[in-house]
Amino acid sequence: MQRRQLLRQTALAVSAFSLSRELFAMTPAERRWVEGRGIPPADLIKLSSNENPHGPSPLARKAMADAVNISNRYQWDMNGVLRERIGALSGHSKDNVILGAGSSELLGLACTWAALRKGNVVASEPTFKLWMTASRRIGLQTKLVPLTATKHNDLQRMADTMDADTRMVYLCNPNNPTGTTATKTELEDFVRKVAKDRILLMDEAYTEYYDSPSVSHLVNEFPNLLIAKTFSKVFGMAGARVGYILAQPDTIKKLSECSAWANAGPSAVSMTGAMAALTDSDFVKLVKRENHKAKELFCQGLEKAGIPYIPSVTSFVYFDNQPYAKKIPELLATANIIGARAFEDKSTWLRLSVGTVPEMQKVVSLLQA
Ligand SMILES: Cc1ncc(COP(=O)(O)O)c(C=O)c1O
């Protein structure tokens, strides 16, 4: 695709995104924050949920607009087609794939499956935790394992923490909120150690940004291995709610049986968008390139301001506010920038999502001022 055409498509995507901002781009807490200060929603720079500031892709937007016309029908056939295309990405079939309304729905389903026998789940602290409240309610205890000194998942300690009652281990790689990844060999060793006799739920929501190692090639070997992925990040479709789990066909069947309805998950419109997104490799390239530029710029800004940070292979950065004179969330809020927040108790470490290059330039100039 010509560069000019690509730029035009991106400009279209960005303008469509800013038009829609006022409709649904805020959580209720963010809306209260904005309204309390009289800030026009369109002036808000939201760097809180690792959303893609460039998407969805132009092809996905067009496909979703067209698909509105078939919303009167259930999406049975489409479900199979999307699963087939997703499976093919890693050499699997449609029977290796279950779709969800975002990968979060499926993290919940995996917990339900694990909780059929009461016990515990082992995970890092901090990690992506939104599924944990529900998992506790259905009877799973959580055993949390601190990160290493370099803020990596401590794979050895996680394995050592498993006991006879461990039903599931959750590993987010690259980890949210720290942006770190293990090596391919470390991950493969971990799978062999854990997935032998327990469910291993691998959350690979961010692997695309830097082609981080995946363990999807081990699915055929391990019936207990679940790989969760999402269209919410590099594909820019967080609000469309499309995610999936890759696993062996029998495992997929067991997971589906934990769901109330076999055709649950994303709508016809969202699935059509996801299919189009898979064909738009130029857009994914552009997202990665822009993310790398904006993240480099932000990290250089942190370095100049004397703020320690963890090198990230994702669309967010984890950094330590401690040596910096001001509270960074308050400083950013003076320019209507929200999202810098802590994930560890009594910690000065914060996560900020990477926005567009101009948004991160704004962040950096505030840090330097
Ligand atoms: C690691 C991780 N897993 C899963 C999700 C949820 O993604 P989805 O929008 O597909 O539910 C997120 C969202 O931020 C995430 O960071």
Side-chain angles (χ1 to χ4, degrees):
M1 184 186 295
Q2 295 296 316
R3 191 177 155 67
R4 209 175 321 129
Q5 191 187 353
L6 195 59
L7 286 174
R8 199 174 334 117
Q9 285 197 345
T10 308
L12 266 176
V14 170
S15 67
F17 182 57
S18 42
L19 273 179
S20 59
R21 264 186 176 184
E22 297 195 22
L23 289 177
F24 59 78
M26 278 178 280
T27 64
E30 287 162 354
R31 181 164 290 284
R32 278 195 298 279
W33 191 88
V34 162
E35 285 173 354
R37 286 163 181 76
I39 300 167
D43 288 356
L44 187 72
I45 297 182
K46 186 171 179 281
L47 304 177
S48 41
S49 306
N50 306 337
E51 293 153 334
N52 182 336
H54 307 288
S57 95
L59 294 190
R61 282 186 300 117
K62 164 123 191 16
M64 286 194 275
D66 292 347
V68 166
N69 298 317
I70 49 162
S71 294
N72 56 319
R73 301 287 177 198
Y74 286 113
Q75 75 286 22
W76 288 106
D77 287 350
M78 210 173 275
N79 185 304
V81 177
L82 179 57
R83 279 165 44 228
E84 193 168 329
R85 294 195 190 164
I86 288 170
L89 297 175
S90 55
H92 294 93
S93 86
K94 74 176 194 315
D95 298 333
N96 291 106
V97 180
I98 179 171
L99 298 175
S103 59
S104 331
E105 183 189 12
L106 300 170
L107 301 184
L109 214 54
C111 290
T112 306
W113 185 42
L116 294 178
R117 284 172 59 220
K118 298 288 175 239
N120 65 59
V121 49
V122 172
S124 288
E125 166 74 352
T127 193
F128 183 72
K129 277 191 171 171
L130 287 186
W131 53 271
M132 276 186 203
T133 312
S135 78
R136 286 189 189 119
R137 293 203 132 199
I138 55 173
L140 286 174
Q141 311 284 314
T142 34
K143 294 182 93 178
L144 299 179
V145 178
L147 302 177
T148 65
T150 56
K151 306 274 184 202
H152 282 71
N153 286 312
D154 193 336
L155 300 184
Q156 184 59 51
R157 200 158 161 197
M158 286 176 85
D160 293 345
T161 303
M162 296 186 309
D163 59 28
D165 294 328
T166 301
R167 305 287 170 246
M168 185 169 93
V169 174
Y170 169 82
L171 182 68
C172 184
N173 192 84
N175 192 35
N176 179 6
T178 51
T180 53
T181 181
T183 65
K184 188 166 196 259
T185 313
E186 287 167 344
L187 291 172
E188 287 175 349
D189 288 349
F190 190 70
V191 172
R192 290 183 207 292
K193 219 180 284 175
V194 174
K196 257 192 332 243
D197 42 16
R198 290 175 177 89
I199 299 168
L200 172 55
L201 175 55
M202 291 286 309
D203 189 335
E204 297 188 354
Y206 297 97
T207 46
E208 291 89 354
Y209 281 96
Y210 282 79
D211 301 319
S212 301
S214 163
V215 286
S216 59
H217 59 289
L218 294 180
V219 154
N220 289 338
E221 263 183 70
F222 294 93
N224 295 321
L225 177 60
L226 312 178
I227 308 213
K229 298 210 46 91
T230 180
F231 283 78
S232 296
K233 306 301 173 184
V234 87
F235 293 111
M237 294 179 56
R241 313 304 298 129
V242 189
Y244 61 94
I245 275 182
L246 200 66
Q248 290 191 3
D250 273 358
T251 307
I252 293 291
K253 197 159 167 284
K254 285 178 193 145
L255 276 177
S256 320
E257 285 166 1
C258 294
S259 173
W261 192 41
N263 197 22
S267 69
V269 171
S270 299
M271 284 199 278
T272 311
M275 279 185 237
L278 288 178
T279 67
D280 203 345
S281 57
D282 284 326
F283 181 75
V284 170
K285 275 187 208 140
L286 177 130
V287 167
K288 287 166 73 168
R289 201 167 54 233
E290 288 300 304
N291 172 69
H292 295 185
K293 263 195 267 169
K295 202 201 68 185
E296 282 312 304
L297 193 126
F298 178 41
C299 290
Q300 282 164 13
L302 289 170
E303 221 156 294
K304 273 200 200 134
I307 300 169
Y309 66 91
I310 305 295
S312 165
V313 292
T314 61
S315 56
F316 49 87
V317 179
Y318 204 52
F319 56 92
D320 189 2
N321 197 155
Q322 205 259 326
Y324 191 74
K326 295 180 185 165
K327 286 193 172 144
I328 293 172
E330 288 172 17
L331 174 68
L332 299 184
T334 61
N336 302 339
I337 301 171
I338 58 169
R341 62 192 167 102
F343 287 78
E344 294 174 82
D345 269 355
K346 299 191 188 94
S347 168
T348 49
W349 284 83
L350 306 172
R351 186 197 75 186
L352 191 69
S353 303
V354 174
T356 60
V357 168
E359 286 172 345
M360 299 323 280
Q361 268 161 347
K362 209 162 182 181
V363 170
V364 167
S365 58
L366 284 163
L367 290 176
Q368 245 104 77

